[in-house]
Each structure stands twice: as C-alpha cells, then as structure tokens.
Amino acid sequence: MKHGDLDLHSRGQARFVDDLPEPEGMLRAVVLPSPIAHGRIERLDTEKAKQSGGVRAVLRAADIPGSNQIGTLVADEPLLAEDTVDFAGQPVALVLAESEEAARAALTLIELEIEELPAILDPRKAQERGELIVAPRTFCLGDVEAAWQQCDVVVEGQVESGGQEHLYLETQGSLALPGERGSVRVISSTQSPTGVQRVIARVLGLAMHRVEVEVTRLGGAFGGKEDQATAWAALAALGAVRCRAPVKLVLHRQEDMVYTGKRHPYASDYRIGVSASGQVLAYQVEFYQNAGAAADLSPAILERTLFHCTGSYFIPNVKATAYCCRTNLLPNTAFRGFGGPQGMFVMEAALFKAAAVLGVSPAELQEKNLLKEGDTFPYGMAARRCSAPICWQEAKSRYDYEESRQRVEAFNSSHSLQKKGLAFMPVCFGISFTNTVLNQGGALVHVYTDGSVSVSTGAVEMGQGVKYKILEVAARMFSIDRGRVRVESTSTVRVANTSPTAASTGADLNGKATDIACRAILERIKGVAAEELEQKDPAGVEIREEQVYYRGEKTNLNWDRLIPRVYTRRVNLSAQAHYATPGIHFDKAKEKGEPFSYHAYGTALCEVTVDCLRGTYQVDAVKAVHDLGPSLVPQVDLGQAEGGIVQGIGWLTLEEVLYSEEGRLLTGTLSTYKVPDIHQTPGELEIHFLEGTENPLGLFHSKAIGEPPLMYGIGVYYALLAAIQAFSPESDLPVVAPLTPERVLMTLYRDRLAGLRGFKTKSKRSVSR
Ligand code: MOS
C-alpha cells in the first residue's frame, strides 16, 4: 500500500491553502517586516500607504482587538511589534488590499524609523549577560565529580551545530473567512490547529468556539509549522475581522525563509571520562541553545536535547546542563528531532575524540557503551525492550563491517589525495511529547448507511502519510475494503483540543483514538448482527473481509446488508473517542520520571569518500537497521526513513544558515542556501526494518517513524571526520557543522593554513550563527 495522495500530488490536483478557490471580495495580506535585528521604533506612519490604490487597511499593534501576544510556552512574542523590534523579519504592520500587487506597492509607502540597538547573536554571550528565556535545566545521574578520578582518559572539547531551514514545499499560509457575529473560520497550513485556534481567539478577544481552524493537508512541515504557522493565521484572521472580508496571507518562498525561525544552532562544551578498557564512566556537557528573540518552543526543545544527551549509550555518571539563550535572531523552532539531534551530535563528538586519544576506533567505544536492556537513562527511566544491541549487531553483520573496514583501510593506504571514512550511528529516540499533557489524541468516526466510513482525528497530514495509517486502522478494525474509508480534513469543530501533529506521535495517538472509536461502533454492530441472526451471543459475531461469521460459521449477512439494519434498529453508527498514553509522567523538580511511552532504536553504517585536494566529498552509503515493529504502511515508513536520513545529512553537511554581524539573514534564498539533491543522496541508501519485533505500546505494535531516522545523518558527519583524520592524523579536529566542502578543505589543511600570516582558519565563525 502506498501513500494514498500520490495520484493527486503527481497530477497537481492536491489542494493546498494557496490553491483553494478564492471567495468573492477576498483581500490579500502582506507584512511589513523589521529590516533590522534590534531597535526602538521611533516612527511608524501608515497614512500614505492607506491612501494607496486598492488598499483596504494598514494594521499595526494598536489595531489588535484582543491581546497582542502569540507566545505559547512563554508570553514573550507580540503578533505585531509595539515599541521595539527584536529580530530582522519581525512583523511590524499588515497591509490588506484588493490585490497582492496593490498590497506590495503600499508596503513601500509605510514610513518606519527605527533607532538601532546592539544585537546579541551569540548564545554564549547571551548566557553571560543573563539573557535566558527560562531557567537553566540540569539532568544528573550518578556523580560525575567522583567519577573523574576513576577515569584513565579525560577529554574535553567544544562543538557547534548550525541552524536548518525547513524548506517545506508549501510555504506558510492561511485563508481567513469571517462569519456571523465576529466569528472566523481559518484554513491554515499548520501542524497545530488547536494552537492556531487558541491564539486567534486570544488575539481577537473571542471565545474559542467562535474560531474554527481547518487543515486539509500541508506540503511538508518538519516542525516548521508546529508553532510558526500561527502568526500568519492570526494575521489573516485579524485582517478578516477588521475588514469583514475573506483574507489570504501566503508567504513567498523568500519571505518564508527570511521571516520564519529554523532549527536551533547550538554551541556546546563537553568533558568525557573513559577507562583504559573503553568504558565511558563520566560525561559532562553544557548546551547553549540559540533560541532567537522569543521563546517559541525553545524550552521544550532544550528539554529534548537533555533527554537525548547520552544518545544511544549508557553512561553511569552524567551531568548535563542546558541554557535557553535569548538572542536577536529569528525565534528558532521545532525541526524534526526537536533538539534531540543537537544533543546526540555532541555525544558522538565526545566519543570520536576520546577514541582518538585512546587509539581505538570510535566504533569500538560506541559498541562497548551501547544501551542494553534495563540500563538507566539520566532522566531515571530504564531502557525496556531495548533493541539497540540487536540493531547494532545486525547492522555490523548485514553490512559486512569488518570487510568494509579493511577495504577502507586499504583504499586509504593506497590513495594520498582521496580518503574514505566509515562511521556507525546508533540512534535511540524517545517517543511521546516530553510535555506529558500533550500525549492525547481524539477521533470521530461515522459509518454511513451505505457502509462507507468517515474518520476525523486530530492528526494533520503533511506528506508523512498519517492519513493512510489512520485509514488502515479503520479498515482493519471493521475488516472492510480500504476504499470504503475516507479520512477527513482536520478541523477543530470535529475533534477538539488536539495536540500538534508532532513528536512523531501523530499516528500513535490519533490512530489509537480511531481504534477505540471503531471498536465502540463495532460492538454495537455486532449486537445488531446477533439479533438479526437470532443468536444470543454478540461476542460470537465476527466480521471478516466484509462477511459476517457466527462462531466461525459464515452467515448470509455481510457489511452491505448489515449496516442499514443497524440504522433501522436506531442504533448509533457514530463514535467519538479519546486516547491518552498510559504510564507516562515526569517530575521537573527532580528531572526524573518516565517521559516516554517507548524508544525507537536502530543503527546505521555510513561511508564517504573525500577529495582531499578540493574538499569535496560524496556520501557512498548509508545503510541502516531500524526497529520499527510491524509496519502499518511499509512504503510510507520507508519514505519517512529515507527522507529523514537525507535531511539529517543536509543539516550537518550542506545546509548553512548564516547571519551578518548585524543579525540579518544572509542565506534567505535558494541561491544562497543549499539543500541536498539527488547528487548528495547516498549512492547506496538502504534501510532494513528489523524483523520479528513487537512494540505493545505502539499502534498495531508498530513504532513511530517520523523523527528517529534523521539522526542517522549524524553518522555521515563522523564518517567525513574519519576521512579527514585519515588524511591528517595528528589533528585535533574541530567539530563544527555543517561540514561543507569549504569547511572540509579548511580542516584538511588547517595546520598548514594556521601558519600563514593573516590567515584565520576560523574566519567563518566570526559570522554569527
Ligand atoms: Mo516536530 S520537530 O515535533 O514538529
């Protein structure tokens, strides 16, 4: 079974916000952004713009009827700037006009004077000055201070990882339709319909029941529409209510790149202590998260960094501290992995360097310290049904690690200007929102009298195929043809108080709610079937492939004949259901608990070849063994794994988000920002789903797939570092991502370059990130 929207997508018939038929009298909205990263607004004069042809209104903060506040975790983000601007790209005013051209022409007539203030761009500097969005968090296990004495080798280092542009194919956008008595209906490209509903209600001063938010599908999101779709939806709704007209606000690609937050860059310090035999005894790490100018989801992302700071390893003594640093960059946001990748990246840096000092391969250290059943995570939970060792061993044998290692060594000793690198990347990723309250899903199922089925849930389809997993749940539960089931758009009036479709939980939470709702209807259907068959025991009724059986015997009833009978007997053919993940809890005062329903595990083996004259490289292979349990829709899961891996490779190798020293984004176009294309896709990309595993806590015993595979891309970084090390073994290699060809070249020759007068090998780093 494939992704059911394939035909629509390939014919261009799938509708996104910008494709919807435009209602009569619709206005277009465009935003005036702050041109600078930090300043005090001295003058904002919109009079000339208001007189411009076709312009209906020019709105500013004072025109907001409710609260000018869109912050979710922390109330620190105005919808429209008031007295200050805190990042370049921040919305200052909103123009509503009869055409986009008219709106854009009016933008140039707005007079905005800002007195520039110094901008902080570096998270370490922000931390020094006490510019923290929330208090620092520390996760501890054992006693690192006592453990350092027992270590034979203690290694320290610094790590930097960069931002990442989401580059969803569909840009941010919303269409707002005003209704009666000031109500509003908004079609939004959001992962979080309820989040958008809540904020629009707050901004417009309305009860939530006056705001309906609907999503048909998104053209990708990757976390970029978890919190950051909200501003554009709220602006469209504000315009619609103020002008009493439908309003469309859809960002152009470059606007989207310049106005919206990205993956958080992190600066980190680590210290790792290892015994002579290669046992990691202690690990200390400080994370400086570059949150940008507002909290957005940063505190939650920071938390996930801590949850994943020891990667796929057991370390008995850990102290990890994380700072949520306020800077004058765009508010950074969720991005596939949600801070987990940043944490794991540092762990792998520590192991890589410790291995070099010990004179062993990183693989040896990785394997020796790999998580096993019953091991404790720094947050107190034990690893259960831990398939880390089996994935590692399976990857090692299936992908002939020993042979590969020898082949790579032979290649490296016979080539002086080309080097190969090999690296394992084990992944352990916790499944559940770390914010326990969000782990709930809802479903509304109707069986119509012709036997067709309609399913609504809180899940948002963003190309990840959640819709087809939910369809599969309903079809399996009723044992009917998949063609009978339709999964509807996501609407806040059909399923309320939904969590964002995020944290890889969309299918689990909403699929399980669907399962419960279908089960309730099925019980009633079986009751009617027993009566129709003049039998006493509804439990004896079974529906198999649309046929009704009683105690194993085929009857003359089938789905088509049975469903109208259920209606005739006035039995309810609809059900609403709710699912809440059982058993999870977390105590933030102690930083201990059971925050995850389960963990996803796997291991990838990565191989690269570096051209040591030019610094260019190719990714030869990424081959992963991944524990997914029994897949509901294998094609969809494979697509998620492949896409995630390539996106992870992009983050750490090609994709470079750069800001000027004044805090202006320098990489806000597709000519200055490079995402992976077919040439950067691994020559061999293989994913083997481990056979014979079961996850009782997942949907039909499967496991979540959205985020975990992205982190296999980290292995490509360390394979590149291994290749560089093969070229210049004496180097204490800097760990700075992305490792672009330019940076590879600088690293290959850094010792020689450092000797050249006036040549700064770190020149790139003076540009803040
Ligand atoms: Mo996802 S990064 O949890 O939207």
Coordinates of all heavy atoms in Angstrom, one line a residue, residues 441 443 445 473 477 509-524 575-580 699:
G441 N -4.9 12.0 22.1 CA -5.4 12.1 20.7 C -6.9 11.9 20.7 O -7.5 11.3 21.6
A443 N -10.6 11.1 18.1 CA -11.2 10.7 16.8 C -12.7 10.7 16.8 O -13.3 10.6 17.9 CB -10.7 9.2 16.5
V445 N -15.7 9.0 14.4 CA -15.9 8.1 13.3 C -17.4 8.0 13.0 O -18.2 7.8 14.0 CB -15.3 6.7 13.6 CG1 -15.6 5.7 12.5 CG2 -13.8 6.8 13.9
V473 N -6.1 1.7 10.0 CA -6.7 1.3 11.3 C -8.2 1.0 11.2 O -8.7 0.0 11.6 CB -6.4 2.4 12.4 CG1 -7.2 2.1 13.7 CG2 -5.0 2.5 12.7
M477 N -9.9 -2.6 11.6 CA -10.9 -2.7 12.7 C -12.2 -3.3 12.3 O -12.8 -4.2 12.9 CB -11.1 -1.4 13.5 CG -10.0 -1.0 14.4 SD -9.6 -2.3 15.6 CE -11.2 -2.4 16.4
L509 N -1.1 8.4 18.6 CA -2.1 9.0 19.4 C -3.5 9.0 18.7 O -4.5 8.6 19.2 CB -1.7 10.4 19.8 CG -0.5 10.6 20.7 CD1 -0.2 12.1 20.9 CD2 -0.7 9.9 22.0
N510 N -3.5 9.4 17.4 CA -4.7 9.5 16.7 C -5.2 8.2 16.2 O -6.4 8.0 16.0 CB -4.6 10.6 15.7 CG -4.4 12.0 16.3 OD1 -5.2 12.6 16.8 ND2 -3.1 12.4 16.2
G511 N -4.2 7.4 15.8 CA -4.6 6.0 15.4 C -5.2 5.2 16.5 O -6.2 4.5 16.3
K512 N -4.7 5.4 17.7 CA -5.3 4.6 18.8 C -6.7 5.1 19.2 O -7.6 4.4 19.5 CB -4.4 4.7 20.0 CG -3.1 3.8 19.8 CD -2.5 3.4 21.1 CE -1.4 2.4 20.8 NZ -1.1 1.6 22.0
A513 N -6.9 6.5 19.1 CA -8.2 7.0 19.3 C -9.2 6.5 18.2 O -10.3 6.1 18.5 CB -8.2 8.6 19.3
T514 N -8.7 6.4 17.0 CA -9.5 5.8 15.9 C -9.9 4.4 16.2 O -11.0 3.9 16.1 CB -8.7 5.9 14.6 OG1 -8.4 7.3 14.4 CG2 -9.6 5.4 13.4
D515 N -8.9 3.6 16.7 CA -9.1 2.2 17.1 C -10.2 2.1 18.1 O -11.1 1.3 18.0 CB -7.7 1.7 17.6 CG -7.7 0.3 18.0 OD1 -8.5 -0.1 18.9 OD2 -7.0 -0.5 17.4
I516 N -10.2 3.0 19.1 CA -11.2 2.9 20.2 C -12.6 3.3 19.7 O -13.5 2.6 20.0 CB -10.8 3.9 21.4 CG1 -9.5 3.4 22.0 CG2 -11.9 3.9 22.4 CD1 -8.8 4.5 22.9
A517 N -12.6 4.3 18.8 CA -13.9 4.7 18.3 C -14.5 3.6 17.4 O -15.7 3.3 17.5 CB -13.8 6.0 17.5
C518 N -13.7 3.0 16.6 CA -14.2 2.0 15.7 C -14.6 0.8 16.5 O -15.6 0.1 16.2 CB -13.1 1.5 14.7 SG -12.6 2.8 13.5
R519 N -13.9 0.4 17.5 CA -14.2 -0.7 18.4 C -15.6 -0.5 19.0 O -16.4 -1.4 19.1 CB -13.2 -0.8 19.5 CG -12.9 -2.2 20.0 CD -11.8 -2.2 21.0 NE -10.5 -2.1 20.4 CZ -9.7 -3.1 20.0 NH1 -10.2 -4.3 20.2 NH2 -8.5 -2.9 19.5
A520 N -15.9 0.7 19.4 CA -17.2 1.0 20.1 C -18.3 0.8 19.1 O -19.3 0.2 19.4 CB -17.2 2.4 20.6
I521 N -18.1 1.3 17.8 CA -19.2 1.1 16.8 C -19.3 -0.4 16.5 O -20.4 -0.9 16.3 CB -18.8 1.9 15.5 CG1 -18.8 3.4 15.9 CG2 -19.8 1.7 14.4 CD1 -18.3 4.3 14.8
L522 N -18.2 -1.1 16.4 CA -18.2 -2.5 16.0 C -18.9 -3.3 17.0 O -19.7 -4.2 16.7 CB -16.7 -3.0 15.9 CG -16.5 -4.4 15.3 CD1 -17.0 -4.4 13.9 CD2 -15.0 -4.8 15.3
E523 N -18.8 -3.0 18.3 CA -19.5 -3.7 19.3 C -21.0 -3.6 19.1 O -21.8 -4.5 19.2 CB -19.1 -3.2 20.7 CG -17.8 -3.6 21.2 CD -17.4 -5.1 21.0 OE1 -18.2 -5.9 21.4 OE2 -16.4 -5.3 20.3
R524 N -21.5 -2.3 18.8 CA -22.9 -2.1 18.5 C -23.3 -2.9 17.3 O -24.4 -3.5 17.3 CB -23.2 -0.6 18.4 CG -22.9 0.1 19.7 CD -23.2 1.6 19.4 NE -22.3 2.5 20.0 CZ -21.7 3.6 19.5 NH1 -22.1 3.9 18.3 NH2 -20.9 4.3 20.2
A575 N -19.1 7.3 16.6 CA -18.5 7.3 17.9 C -17.4 8.4 18.0 O -16.7 8.6 17.0 CB -17.9 5.9 18.2
Q576 N -17.2 8.9 19.1 CA -16.1 9.8 19.4 C -15.2 9.1 20.4 O -15.7 8.4 21.3 CB -16.7 11.2 19.9 CG -15.6 12.2 20.2 CD -15.0 12.2 21.6 OE1 -15.5 11.5 22.5 NE2 -13.9 12.8 21.8
A577 N -13.9 9.2 20.3 CA -13.1 8.6 21.2 C -11.8 9.4 21.5 O -11.4 10.3 20.8 CB -12.6 7.2 20.7
H578 N -11.2 9.1 22.7 CA -10.1 9.8 23.2 C -9.1 8.8 23.6 O -9.4 7.8 24.2 CB -10.5 10.7 24.3 CG -9.4 11.5 25.0 ND1 -8.9 11.1 26.2 CD2 -8.8 12.6 24.6 CE1 -7.9 11.9 26.5 NE2 -7.9 12.9 25.6
Y579 N -7.8 9.1 23.3 CA -6.7 8.2 23.8 C -5.7 9.0 24.5 O -5.3 10.1 24.1 CB -6.1 7.5 22.6 CG -4.8 6.7 23.0 CD1 -5.0 5.5 23.6 CD2 -3.6 7.2 22.8 CE1 -3.9 4.7 24.0 CE2 -2.4 6.5 23.2 CZ -2.6 5.2 23.8 OH -1.5 4.5 24.2
A580 N -5.3 8.5 25.7 CA -4.2 9.2 26.4 C -3.1 8.1 26.7 O -3.4 7.1 27.2 CB -4.7 9.8 27.7
L699 N 1.0 1.7 17.8 CA -0.2 1.4 17.0 C 0.0 0.1 16.3 O 0.9 -0.1 15.5 CB -0.4 2.5 16.0 CG -1.6 2.6 15.2 CD1 -2.9 2.6 16.0 CD2 -1.6 3.8 14.2

